[in-house]
Amino acid sequence: MNTQRRFLKNFIQKTYSDSSLTQNGFSIHGGCLRDLIADKEFKDIDVFVDDFDTTIPHVIRIMRDLGVTAIRKHTKGGSIMDSTTINGLYQGELISVELAKDFNNTWDVNINELFLTKVRDKNKPFSEAIPVGIKNDFTDVEGHTLYVGTYGKSGCTLENTLADIRNYQFSVFNLYNMKIAARIEKMSNRGYTHSIDKNFNKAVMLDKPETQVMLDKPEARSTPSFLSGCLKEAGYQIAIEQVSRGVQSALVFALSGGDSSKVEFAKGVLESDFGKSLIQSMLFLIAYHIPMENEHLEKFTHNLLVSSIATSENALIDFASSKLQAVVKDSLGGLGGTEKRKAKRVRQGSTHSSETLQSDSEALDEAVLQASA
Amino acid sequence: MKSLDQNKDFLIHCAKTAGYRVVAEQITLATRAGIVAALLSIDSKYTENAEKIISSAFGKALVQFGVSMVLHQLPVDNPHVQALTYECLVSSIATGEGAVLNTAFSGVQDFVKNKILSIKDDSFAKVQESLSESVEEEIVQHAKTVSV
């Protein structure tokens, strides 16, 4: 990481936790944050402020705290009109922070208003106008204001909104932005389009076209990703099944040498579903305490616990419903189908055996005749 | 080290997933039992094979796949139904692949088992042999002392 990037990271942490700055409409330009996250080079550190007089002393103080020396202030010296540039030396390198005055071109998007047209057209409150599936996605962010900063002529498109939200992830001011961004992106992927309501200058979400509505039905979900997810999950389940079966059979085999009733009991328990669940729990505890950061290990551990719970619950259900099963089986047997089939099988078997006997005796007779001849 | 909240969340998530898995298993068992009962009531020579297939692990996988397909086609946009569909399909793949693996490795399993058993028998025979030799020597020595 070069010096400028290191400085920006420290600067972000300091400024966004400084209440005197956040209260004064302080926001770091999304572009340089985006570049920082994407590990790209950026030219300037641009900051938007409501009021220079209030903000500049705080910015200078923070820069000093971070170890910036030889601080110089230049008004109207930047690429943006009505701006102030603060230069200084940080770890021997020139650092430049450009403060631009906010021309009220930041806009707030209330999550309720994202669906402004839909709510207005249907003349219903948000909670009733939005489809259930979508509403569920937004339940935890409903009512929270989505603060989005844009500048100049970048335009207030949904793509810009999403990019800005992502780049504001350092901001303590916008705790819900990341959540909202994820939801908007999800909707965007589902085929919803967006537009700017010129009367309100707000982003609004539009209905998707009819064809898209058709595509969004459950049967038309993204099949390849769904299947690959299923296959991966199944892989973990198979691995767990094989590992637990291996351990189970090894333990049962190890106990097979003993003759005492206690050993027999332990063997019986291990061979049962509860024993399997117990083994899976033990394996989970071992895997959970392995000091290793690995995605597959985590999923394996998770699946071990899930399998353990599911196995014991299934065994319990089977145990609890065994009487009911017997009753159902009896009543099904009473229908007569089984008896009829059994009788048929017996009939077939007896016919078959008598035929075989007859052919056998004939062959024996022939053999005797040949031998005597 | 994971925090208490993280552990709690993890456990809750696991319990929820296990719940779906249990429901999927019970639906499969019920469906399978229903199909088997229906097959038993039909008086045909083909039903016997069908019953055997349904009762096997492959049959279970087939039933799970069928259940997942039915759930997938339901015109309901419900997260629980979706989770159940997913679980049924995952279980179907896992059961099917597990059965294939078991069939493929049953020979290897038998071989390993027999090998372990033969090793065990050999070592037991050796111990017995050495034990009998030492006992024999002891008896001879004892006899010598007695005669002296």
Side-chain angles (χ1 to χ4, degrees), chain B:
Chain B
M1 195 71 187
K2 285 167 184 122
S3 71
L4 200 67
D5 279 347
Q6 277 177 317
N7 285 335
K8 199 178 144 192
D9 289 345
F10 179 74
L11 279 176
I12 289 168
H13 180 60
C14 284
K16 273 184 186 170
T17 316
Y20 288 119
R21 201 169 287 183
V22 169
V23 172
E25 179 74 18
Q26 293 304 320
I27 288 175
T28 311
L29 285 176
T31 312
R32 197 154 71 143
I35 293 170
V36 168
L39 285 172
L40 281 172
S41 64
I42 301 166
D43 199 11
S44 162
K45 60 179 177 179
Y46 299 111
T47 53
E48 201 177 331
N49 290 333
E51 185 199 322
K52 273 181 192 168
I53 291 168
I54 291 291
S55 302
S56 70
F58 288 108
K60 191 184 171 188
L62 208 70
V63 170
Q64 279 170 334
F65 183 73
V67 170
S68 75
M69 284 298 110
V70 169
L71 289 172
H72 194 59
Q73 297 298 329
L74 283 179
V76 184
D77 197 7
N78 185 303
H80 301 296
V81 175
Q82 282 175 13
L84 201 60
T85 310
Y86 179 78
E87 205 53 60
C88 279
L89 191 55
V90 169
S91 292
S92 156
I93 299 167
T95 313
E97 285 186 17
V100 169
L101 277 178
N102 286 338
T103 314
F105 287 103
S106 59
V108 178
Q109 280 171 7
D110 287 343
F111 174 75
V112 171
K113 232 177 203 177
N114 290 335
K115 206 74 190 165
I116 292 170
L117 278 172
S118 68
I119 291 166
K120 212 175 168 184
D121 288 345
D122 284 353
S123 58
F124 182 70
K126 273 179 189 170
V127 169
Q128 218 174 16
E129 205 176 305
S130 62
L131 204 68
S132 61
E133 275 174 13
S134 62
V135 169
E136 222 168 88
E137 276 175 19
E138 261 181 41
I139 290 167
V140 169
Q141 276 182 356
H142 186 70
K144 276 178 186 173
T145 51
V146 168
S147 65
V148 167

Side-chain angles (χ1 to χ4, degrees), chain A residues 5-42:
Chain A
R5 301 178 72 80
R6 203 161 37 237
F7 171 75
L8 180 58
K9 211 168 176 188
N10 293 333
F11 188 64
I12 290 162
Q13 281 167 358
K14 281 269 182 191
T15 49
Y16 276 117
S17 56
D18 193 310
S19 57
S20 54
L21 278 177
T22 46
Q23 277 168 12
N24 282 298
F26 177 94
S27 59
I28 294 175
H29 177 218
C32 64
L33 297 183
R34 188 163 47 224
D35 293 343
L36 179 78
I37 296 160
D39 210 22
K40 287 178 189 167
E41 285 299 317
F42 52 88

Side-chain angles (χ1 to χ4, degrees), chain A residues 249-269:
Chain A
S249 54
L251 285 172
V252 169
F253 190 72
L255 286 172
S256 63
D259 293 325
S260 76
S261 59
K262 280 180 186 172
V263 171
E264 280 299 314
F265 174 73
K267 222 175 100 179
V269 169

Side-chain angles (χ1 to χ4, degrees), chain A residues 2-3 6-7 10 66-69 89-93 95:
Chain A
N2 64 31
T3 317
R6 203 161 37 237
F7 171 75
N10 293 333
L66 290 171
V68 181
T69 53
L89 284 172
Y90 178 72
Q91 295 177 359
E93 273 189 39
I95 293 296

